[in-house]
Amino acid sequence: MDRTTVQLLCPECTKDWRTSPDDLPAAAEMFHCPNCHASRRTAEFMRTDRDLQTLKQLG
């Protein structure tokens, strides 16, 4: 079975990566970039609207 992932992009350091929505806090909760430690709502790290929808549905 394929595991669903979402794409993330840090708005500050532009690091991009993929992870499972299960490994992320809810869209409105705070998330910290593993590269530069910027703190923002998880939704602000989603690369596309589709990634945000996936996070909301599965996260």
Side-chain angles (χ1 to χ4, degrees), residues 3 5 13-14 16 18 23-26 33-34 36 39 42 52 58:
R3 186 171 172 152
T5 60
C13 72
T14 68
D16 61 340
R18 289 178 177 262
D23 297 336
L24 296 170
C33 174
C36 73
S39 299
T42 307
L52 179 57
L58 302 176

Side-chain angles (χ1 to χ4, degrees), residues 5-44:
T5 60
V6 291
Q7 298 178 72
L8 295 95
L9 176 67
C10 178
E12 292 194 29
C13 72
T14 68
K15 172 184 174 58
D16 61 340
W17 70 102
R18 289 178 177 262
T19 194
S20 168
D22 296 336
D23 297 336
L24 296 170
E29 292 181 20
M30 294 302 286
F31 179 73
H32 310 283
C33 174
N35 191 52
C36 73
H37 306 288
S39 299
R40 295 180 184 231
R41 293 179 312 120
T42 307
E44 294 182 49

